[in-house]
Amino acid sequence: MSEPARGSDRRRSGEGDRERTERAGLGDDVEVIVVSNRQPYRHRWGDDGIEVDRPTGGLTAGLDDVVRRIDGSWIAWGDGDADAEVVDDDDRVSVPPEASDGYPLRRVWLTGEQVDGYYYGFSNRVLWPVCHGTLSRVRSEGGYWDAYRSVNERFADAAADRADREDVIWLQDYHLGLVPQLLASRVPESVLVAHFWHIPWPDWDTFRACPHGAELLRGLVGNDLFVVHTERYRQHFFNCVEAALPRATVDRSAGRVFHRDGVTTVEAHPLGVDTERIPELSTDDGADERWRRLRAQYDIDEDVSVGVGVDRLDYTKGIPERIAAIERLLETRPEWQGEFTFVQIGSESRSRIPAYREVQTEVVEAVNRVNARFRTDDWRPVVYTTDRLADRELYTLYRNADLGVVSPVRDGMNLVAQEYVAAQADGDGVLVLSRQAGVHDLVGDDAVSITPQAPDEFAAALADALAMSDRERRVRMASLLDSCRAFDIDRWIDDVLGGVARLREDGGAGR
Ligand code: GDG
């Protein structure tokens, strides 16, 4: 396996294309080093030797393409059982596998005990429920925090090892909250540190329940730039800093936090999707045949209306609530029996945590209940699968579904809603969307809005969406498409990297 070159070495050798970093004003000799918990590619032992798969999730899907295009590099936890087999002496492997324009992925190795405390512990049993406002699910065991800190040190070491000159370290998400502060003593001031927080930032009244909350905030204000999806999360973050860090000063008009160790700029930039690639794949030459195959596979009659839901099996995604609303629809509006099929794709997630196993069981039970109650010999109301669909298949399913149903009880953004909209190359289709998803702030009333915990209202919204006139569907979808295009993935990269570039121009490194 050839040694993946450092970005700037590549640049000097004429390889790679730094168009985007240059466009953002960062200069052509700057490497953007993405650091995240989850890796974009995982190597595992399969029946025929080593296989590569791509973990499901909003973060890795969107960023892989970004890192490739900006000719950056990536650091992440190597969680595949064959990951160590394919790396070089510096724990790096070039990805995507087989690509001639790949980028270096550096793997960080964690012990089982570290994973339990850091990933299944503090990250997903403390921070995830705190940030999603589900405080009754917060469980903080001894050892979680220490594991979180020590793993954050491992990531900080790996990032510091890579970064020099004016490179940018771009941290992702809630697993790495202490890394910014830990980097201060590890990298030169010329290296800028930015952090994108993919999940909601809750208001102080919720965040105050977070064990080690003040320490986490002190970690985060180690960033030069801290970015969240929406303005509401940004204001919540400021409220939390003011309440928990009495010696810090928030200047809301400047969007900055002044603290003992420097200045942190806080911005809101919603993450979007690739609004060009998705419709291309949903309408390519094989699309009609793919749809025929999917319909045969899922036993979907040609004449029925189709709804789709796609989620990690997470208690925040409102999947049992969605199935309950479909049940209420069929119960109260029997004219839809035999006329509507809902396809739910659910990918397994964090199954070692009891609350996640519970939601998996709840979904299966809800689907079985509705199907047992309403199915006939030639019609099934809900199709449920945990199979992963290839992108092309997923986008084809979106395109052909009359309804996209996205019903989280709380969600930082939700990319599925935007993917569903982007796939509607024919300008048809209706998005039914929870008011509690960050993406609702972006698209507002062009979607049919619901509250997932109110089954009567939800069922009525499904009925309205199914019966919506052709004209209204098209008007709403055109407007939804405009919003998703205006805030697509390119805009997000430009905005975040542009924010970093502005700091550099201002001499604004916070440390
Ligand atoms: C966090 C925040 C925020 C799912 N099944 C398949 C598949 N997927 C892809 C979807 C989508 C992604 O997974 C899920 O996106 P979400 O936005 O729901 O992501 P989370 O994992 O909850 O991630 C969330 C996000 O970060 C980004 O900031 O929006 O609020 O919680 O892209 O398409 N993709 C394919 N087959 C599947 O079967 N190909």
Side-chain angles (χ1 to χ4, degrees), residues 54-62 128 132 172-174 196-200 229 233 270-273 310-312 314 316-317 345-347 349-350 385-395 398 406 408 410-419 437-439 492:
R54 307 195 53 189
T56 299
L59 185 155
T60 45
W128 178 272
H132 288 84
Q172 305 296 325
D173 232 350
Y174 59 100
F196 190 82
W197 193 262
H198 289 258
I199 63 176
H229 283 294
Y233 303 158
L271 175 54
V273 300
V310 179
D311 309 80
R312 271 188 313 100
D314 196 297
T316 60
K317 299 289 183 183
I345 314 284
S347 47
S349 183
R350 307 173 194 165
T385 177
T386 53
D387 291 347
R388 185 188 159 80
L389 268 62
D391 284 358
R392 271 176 213 279
E393 288 184 306
L394 180 65
Y395 302 154
Y398 285 146
V406 176
R410 182 74 83 217
D411 212 333
M413 173 53 52
N414 194 292
L415 300 183
V416 171
Q418 301 187 53
E419 290 165 2
V439 65
W492 181 72

Side-chain angles (χ1 to χ4, degrees), residues 132-323:
H132 288 84
T134 50
L135 295 183
S136 60
R137 296 196 194 257
V138 176
R139 181 69 181 260
S140 183
E141 302 277 358
Y144 286 0
W145 177 250
D146 288 344
Y148 186 80
R149 168 172 281 283
S150 77
V151 170
N152 272 242
E153 279 168 0
R154 298 288 317 274
F155 277 103
D157 288 339
D161 201 31
R162 179 83 186 170
D164 68 4
R165 289 174 290 197
E166 300 201 320
D167 287 347
V168 176
I169 297 176
W170 189 6
L171 306 167
Q172 305 296 325
D173 232 350
Y174 59 100
H175 315 86
L176 305 176
L178 298 179
V179 174
Q181 187 185 36
L182 292 165
L183 281 170
S185 57
R186 287 170 168 81
V187 294
E189 279 200 24
S190 55
V191 170
L192 288 182
V193 183
H195 198 146
F196 190 82
W197 193 262
H198 289 258
I199 63 176
W201 191 281
D203 203 355
W204 170 241
D205 201 38
T206 300
F207 188 75
R208 65 208 281 260
C210 185
H212 304 283
E215 286 155 280
L216 183 88
L217 281 166
R218 271 194 291 276
L220 289 172
V221 296
N223 279 297
D224 296 301
L225 177 66
F226 182 66
V227 190
V228 290
H229 283 294
T230 71
E231 179 57 25
R232 198 153 25 86
Y233 303 158
R234 193 171 85 109
Q235 294 303 328
H236 288 170
F237 182 78
F238 286 144
N239 294 344
C240 291
V241 168
E242 277 175 336
L245 303 182
R247 281 199 253 158
T249 314
V250 174
D251 179 345
R252 283 173 199 257
S253 58
R256 290 189 163 174
V257 177
F258 295 86
H259 49 90
R260 200 181 54 194
D261 301 318
V263 188
T264 308
T265 300
V266 185
E267 296 184 355
H269 300 301
L271 175 54
V273 300
D274 189 334
T275 53
E276 283 178 17
R277 178 174 169 265
I278 293 172
E280 260 168 44
L281 294 188
S282 76
T283 56
D284 68 5
D285 286 347
D288 290 344
E289 176 52 28
R290 270 201 304 281
W291 177 230
R292 257 194 302 279
R293 261 190 284 119
L294 282 168
R295 268 212 332 260
Q297 187 182 341
Y298 297 144
D299 226 353
I300 303 172
D301 200 82
E302 201 168 338
D303 302 323
V304 300
S305 296
V306 175
V308 65
V310 179
D311 309 80
R312 271 188 313 100
L313 290 166
D314 196 297
Y315 53 80
T316 60
K317 299 289 183 183
I319 311 168
E321 289 82 351
R322 190 178 310 164
I323 308 294

